[in-house]
Amino acid sequence: MQNRRATKLLAFLLIASLGMRGAAGCKRAPTSIAPQEQTRKMFGTLVTIRVYDADRRRAAKAVQLAFDKIAKLDRDTNNYNPASQISLSNARSGKPTYVEHVFSVVRRGLAGARDTGGAFDPTILPVVELWGFGRREHVPSQRELGAARRLVGYRRVDVVGRGRILLPKVGMGLDLGGIAKGYAADVVVRTLRESKIRHAMVTMGSTTSVLGGKPDGSPWKIGIENPRGRGLIGVVSMKTGTVSTSGDYQNYFVRNGVRYHHIIDPKTGMPSRNAISVTVVGAIDATLSDVLSTALFVKGFEGTSRYAERNRRIGVVFVTPDGRVRTAGSTKGRISQLRRRI
Ligand code: AMP
Ligand code: MG
């Protein structure tokens, strides 16, 4: 947990500072409107909402409303809290159960699983718990992994009615950790739009959504962290859209010199060795972007290229296991200052 908090804090500071000053070498956009900005600890990371609006009261109200909306989602999707909605419904595996408030997140997670051929699988919980990231970290035996993997499989989840699902085997469980922050970013952006806000940025750890460019008409700049060292490996410029990064440096532990991290290949139950970090950029919603950064990490570069070929709305900055920085899909005009290696 400590590792994760430290790196997430770093990521946040990095993105926040780019947002404030523009990317290294860029001038601060001249604007007469001061932002309304608030940061809170949520979803196991830091969440910042920054809004520009000439009407400061409207801006402050919009920020408050957006935080109110995601506070509930944070509580409901928290697998670390045994009293959360997701934990209570997981505890009822084997019988149909209501997931109520998290139903749409679950549905998007299942759709994401189908779309990525199971590289993203929201039923991964039994395996993730076995590894105990951030809690009781442990390298499981093949026997333990085999037993946990038998409880994983998104195709087995039945949606039995509005807000009601069935995890057919006792011990199955949903983990929304790979999608909840993206979903929450979409809730924020929707809330801000409804409040007539035209320029905003929301950062949820390693998922950032931007709306409407900066007030002076220039695009927002979002830095892509170097997953191994200091500084950035690239800078994303975007007016409206989302950037989401999944990396093996965000939540991990080291045993006997081996790094075990939190992005699991559902086929093996092991941390995926197919990437170091994956950043998805696009004018897509943050829910999808969050799903994809996790899934494309698992798929590896070839699988990512094929996916991006079919889905032209996204661009990907991919750090390969040997430290090369490669791109796939629509990155042209969106990424600058790209390094070739980390
Ligand atoms: P992210 O940081 O968005 O890549 O999400 C990583 C989190 O998603 C992990 O901490 C797990 O809770 C969960 N997770 C790990 N592997 C997978 C997977 N293959 N599919 C879906 N969720 C996963
Ligand atoms: Mg994700």
Side-chain angles (χ1 to χ4, degrees):
M1 204 55 165
Q2 220 45 44
N3 288 338
R4 183 167 73 152
R5 290 223 175 101
T7 34
K8 295 246 157 124
L9 178 65
L10 197 72
F12 159 74
L13 290 173
L14 204 67
I15 288 163
S17 69
L18 271 184
M20 292 302 280
R21 289 186 276 104
C26 302
K27 276 193 212 135
R28 182 182 173 140
T31 168
S32 52
I33 309 174
Q36 280 285 328
E37 179 177 307
Q38 258 193 59
T39 297
R40 295 192 195 169
K41 234 173 106 189
M42 294 171 119
F43 298 94
T45 185
L46 291 174
V47 176
T48 294
I49 303 176
R50 182 187 309 140
V51 163
Y52 289 84
D53 196 283
D55 182 341
R56 288 183 64 76
R57 273 191 40 203
R58 174 165 67 180
K61 252 175 89 175
V63 171
Q64 184 60 45
L65 187 62
F67 270 119
D68 290 348
K69 290 216 174 157
I70 59 172
K72 184 155 171 46
L73 196 62
D74 179 25
R75 286 195 301 275
D76 288 341
T77 56
N78 185 354
N79 281 107
Y80 290 84
N81 174 3
S84 71
Q85 171 123 81
I86 194 72
S87 300
L88 292 174
S89 93
N90 286 339
R92 286 180 52 86
S93 56
K95 316 182 194 82
T97 171
Y98 283 98
V99 282
E100 287 166 329
H101 306 116
V102 295
F103 185 59
S104 347
V105 193
V106 172
R107 276 227 298 223
R108 289 293 305 267
L110 294 172
R114 287 190 293 271
D115 181 41
T116 61
F120 184 89
D121 191 331
T123 66
I124 198 77
L125 185 72
V127 175
V128 170
E129 283 195 325
L130 195 54
W131 286 94
F133 297 105
R135 311 192 218 189
R136 247 179 306 121
E137 289 160 345
H138 158 73
V139 179
S141 67
Q142 283 307 314
R143 241 192 64 200
E144 289 176 305
L145 272 180
R149 278 179 50 218
R150 281 194 284 281
L151 297 168
V152 174
Y154 68 94
R155 288 202 185 88
R156 292 148 83 186
V157 181
D158 257 340
V159 175
V160 289
R162 177 85 215 147
R164 204 150 173 244
I165 60 159
L166 170 66
L167 302 171
K169 266 180 100 168
V170 174
M172 285 182 78
L174 295 171
D175 176 349
L176 302 175
I179 184 174
K181 291 195 290 291
Y183 190 92
D186 286 336
V187 170
V188 170
V189 169
R190 208 175 311 128
T191 307
L192 297 178
R193 279 186 194 272
E194 283 164 10
S195 301
K196 308 273 185 284
I197 299 296
R198 284 166 44 218
H199 309 282
M201 179 184 214
V202 47
T203 299
M204 310 246 170
S206 47
T207 296
T208 296
S209 285
V210 290
L211 173 66
K214 293 188 190 171
D216 68 352
S218 66
W220 297 97
K221 308 268 187 193
I222 301 124
I224 306 174
E225 274 184 288
N226 183 337
R228 286 292 181 270
R230 287 165 165 269
L232 305 176
I233 57 168
V235 174
V236 179
S237 300
M238 209 164 43
K239 288 195 171 170
T240 296
T242 295
V243 182
S244 181
T245 296
S246 291
D248 70 1
Y249 60 99
Q250 291 169 339
N251 190 1
Y252 69 96
F253 62 91
V254 176
R255 281 292 138 78
N256 300 324
V258 181
R259 177 190 292 252
Y260 297 102
H261 66 85
H262 68 148
I263 301 164
I264 304 292
D265 186 338
K267 286 206 179 99
T268 62
M270 298 287 292
S272 169
R273 300 292 172 209
N274 292 337
I276 289 179
S277 78
V278 175
T279 300
V280 175
V281 178
I284 54 175
D285 70 22
T287 311
L288 179 59
S289 173
D290 196 359
V291 162
L292 288 182
S293 62
T294 311
L296 298 181
F297 190 110
V298 171
K299 279 181 179 287
F301 187 70
E302 300 309 323
T304 293
S305 297
R306 280 197 299 273
Y307 186 94
E309 207 46 57
R310 282 186 287 120
N311 297 273
R312 300 303 299 174
R313 286 181 307 160
I314 62 160
V316 183
V317 176
F318 194 105
V319 180
T320 60
D322 61 358
R324 280 178 299 154
V325 180
R326 303 186 68 181
T327 59
S330 313
T331 50
K332 217 167 151 227
R334 284 174 168 164
I335 320 266
S336 59
Q337 300 174 50
L338 199 64
R339 279 174 50 171
R340 294 163 74 101
R341 295 195 66 84
I342 54 172

